[in-house]
Amino acid sequence: MTQFVFETTPRIVCEPGAAARLGELAAELGIGHALIVTDRGLVQAGVLDGALEGLQAAGVAVTLFTDVLADPPEVSVLAAVDAARAAAVDGIIGLGGGSSMDTAKLVALLAGTPQALAEVYGIGLAKGPRLPLIQVPTTAGTGSEVTPIAIVTTPTQEKKGVVSPALYPDVAVLDGALTVGLPARVTAMTGIDAMVHAIEAYTSRHKKNPLSDALAVKALELLYANIRKVIADGTDLAARSAMLQGSLLAGMAFANAPVAAVHALAYPLGGHYHVPHGLSNALVLAPVLAFNKPAAAALYAELAEVVLPGRVFAGIDEAAQAFIDAIAALVAEMPFEQRLSELGVGAGDLERLARDVMNIQRLLVNNPRELTEADVRALYASVL
Ligand SMILES: NC(=O)c1ccc[n+]([C@@H]2O[C@H](COP(=O)([O-])OP(=O)(O)OC[C@H]3O[C@@H](n4cnc5c(N)ncnc54)[C@H](O)[C@@H]3O)[C@@H](O)[C@H]2O)c1
Ligand SMILES: [Fe+2]
């Protein structure tokens, strides 16, 4: 029998309109004065309004930090920590996409502990204690509301992770209504990111287990069945809620069965060229799946039944190829760039990118097939 450890956020509240209950949820955690960590785009889109009313009604004081930057650089994380200290808040609410939620995790940690940011990069180095933490995702998404991970961009343009059980939030609040205004392009990128979490968790080399498998399968089913619907009609609340649930389940899966080469190839694109996280994953997804097929065909064949239910295949190879083709076709339909050259990457850059990827062993060790630096260069070249 597989032996495994499974951890997740202990409380998950999932219902349309749940953001209005943030006040009561904060009060239950003993929060009297919360710092809401978010970005300006969300304030302008009016996404905070219902949450603020609910907090006010419950008598919870609020200080706003609205300066989260995408792919949060260290300076913006530290500015948020300063804001938390200056206002002497006793709890943190991350409200936004992965950038806001990851920043919120680090604020809850660094405002509550003597450790400095530089000391906590890596696995298991953040010890806590931290301030109470509620996460409200508005993209579907990173799944950060149920992962022990925060990703920061360092001054040398590397994307580094803080990974520690101390970062699991106390409560995740899923409110599909918050995501109806998410533009189609961001919807597409973040939706593919969530699908990659499910796929890479399902094929993760060392820690995949029956619980992460079940979550990854359900996540992929929900995400694949709904992503075209939310691109076609962003106001489809049922499809939006399904995407948010899919993203949550994928997050629960990959928090315990970690992601691999797709993410390893994506990170240097984000660090050096500021390609949004989901887009960088989407660009390399189909080539990495094709590369992995010799080692992962049986698992991809199982996923073919999830995304193409009812289809009959002649054997494992045909089913695995049908899965890869279905994912490649979906990515090709999405309203975003399809080639690295459209994002400022040139042939002369591939060597440095491939070198960077080889340093991300924390992810590469989870890939079903081993990659050499030449393999990585060839994978990038195939989508140049
Ligand atoms: N912690 C984890 O486990 C984990 C996993 C994957 C990715 N990440 C990290 O998460 C970050 C990416 O997060 P993301 O893809 O969610 O994007 P994001 O948080 O950077 O947000 C992207 C944009 O979408 C806008 N936006 C978000 N929700 C909106 C809404 N409901 N309506 C209108 N606009 C909205 C934001 O204002 C922003 O401009 C990266 O830094 C990545 O490395 C973390
Ligand atoms: Fe991701």
Side-chain angles (χ1 to χ4, degrees):
M1 211 171 79
T2 317
Q3 296 186 9
F4 65 93
V5 172
F6 189 90
E7 292 176 296
T8 194
T9 298
R11 188 156 188 223
I12 294 163
V13 178
C14 183
E15 64 191 38
R21 288 182 47 202
L22 263 177
E24 108 202 25
L25 294 167
E28 279 168 26
L29 278 178
I31 300 176
H33 183 178
L35 183 77
I36 296 190
V37 177
T38 189
D39 69 39
R40 287 182 197 174
L42 285 155
V43 178
Q44 276 157 16
V47 179
L48 262 69
D49 300 352
L52 289 173
E53 278 170 30
L55 286 158
Q56 200 177 18
V60 177
V62 171
T63 296
L64 283 178
F65 179 83
T66 60
D67 288 339
V68 168
L69 298 178
D71 298 294
E74 284 181 356
V75 282
S76 104
V77 173
L78 296 175
V81 175
D82 287 345
R85 289 208 179 109
V89 298
D90 56 11
I92 309 294
I93 299 174
L95 197 153
S99 298
S100 293
M101 289 192 287
D102 283 8
T103 302
K105 283 177 178 169
L106 291 171
V107 174
L109 177 80
L110 298 174
T113 175
Q115 285 186 293
L117 181 53
E119 293 170 38
V120 296
Y121 287 125
I123 299 176
L125 298 176
K127 303 289 183 209
R130 60 156 176 76
L131 295 179
L133 174 63
I134 302 177
Q135 298 282 43
V136 190
T138 65
T139 62
T142 64
S144 179
E145 69 276 12
V146 284
T147 75
I149 305 164
I151 307 287
V152 177
T153 306
T154 67
T156 53
Q157 307 303 311
E158 267 177 282
K159 293 204 65 168
K160 278 198 179 172
V162 180
V163 184
S164 162
L167 293 189
Y168 277 112
D170 297 301
V171 184
V173 177
L174 267 72
D175 181 351
L178 298 184
T179 67
V180 294
L182 191 65
R185 180 179 150 82
V186 189
T187 300
M189 298 188 299
T190 49
I192 298 289
D193 182 31
M195 291 176 71
V196 176
H197 296 156
I199 296 167
E200 293 210 290
Y202 197 72
T203 58
S204 197
R205 195 152 152 189
H206 301 294
K207 294 191 175 165
K208 149 188 181 63
N209 62 72
L211 207 39
S212 65
D213 282 352
L215 292 161
V217 163
K218 188 65 191 172
L220 193 59
E221 184 189 310
L222 287 167
L223 294 164
Y224 189 85
N226 287 284
I227 190 166
R228 288 182 173 96
K229 290 185 192 168
V230 290
I231 301 291
D233 176 9
T235 65
D236 181 338
L237 185 57
R240 286 290 196 186
S241 300
M243 289 297 291
L244 208 48
Q245 282 190 30
S247 146
L248 170 98
L249 300 179
M252 292 169 93
F254 93 87
N256 294 278
V259 292
V262 179
H263 272 77
L265 268 73
Y267 278 134
L269 295 170
H272 293 299
Y273 302 94
H274 300 290
V275 179
H277 176 75
L279 177 56
S280 55
N281 272 291
L283 288 170
V284 296
L285 172 57
V288 172
L289 293 181
F291 174 85
N292 283 345
K293 191 181 151 206
L299 296 174
Y300 290 163
E302 290 169 14
L303 295 181
E305 291 176 20
V306 177
V307 300
L308 303 166
R311 273 267 290 272
V312 178
F313 305 105
I316 284 179
D317 189 74
E318 188 183 304
Q321 193 56 49
F323 171 69
I324 296 169
D325 292 347
I327 297 294
L330 177 70
V331 171
E333 274 176 48
M334 291 291 114
F336 50 56
E337 295 84 347
Q338 298 286 330
R339 314 290 311 177
L340 292 177
S341 52
E342 295 171 71
L343 297 156
V345 182
D349 302 324
L350 301 191
E351 203 166 300
R352 176 177 71 162
L353 285 169
R355 237 190 350 260
D356 281 7
V357 170
M358 297 317 285
N359 286 330
I360 315 180
Q361 288 299 323
R362 128 184 122 79
L363 301 181
L364 291 179
V365 294
N366 304 314
N367 202 55
R369 184 175 171 198
E370 213 163 298
L371 288 98
T372 65
E373 201 169 314
D375 293 330
V376 175
R377 266 199 313 273
L379 287 166
Y380 280 135
S382 73
V383 283
L384 194 61

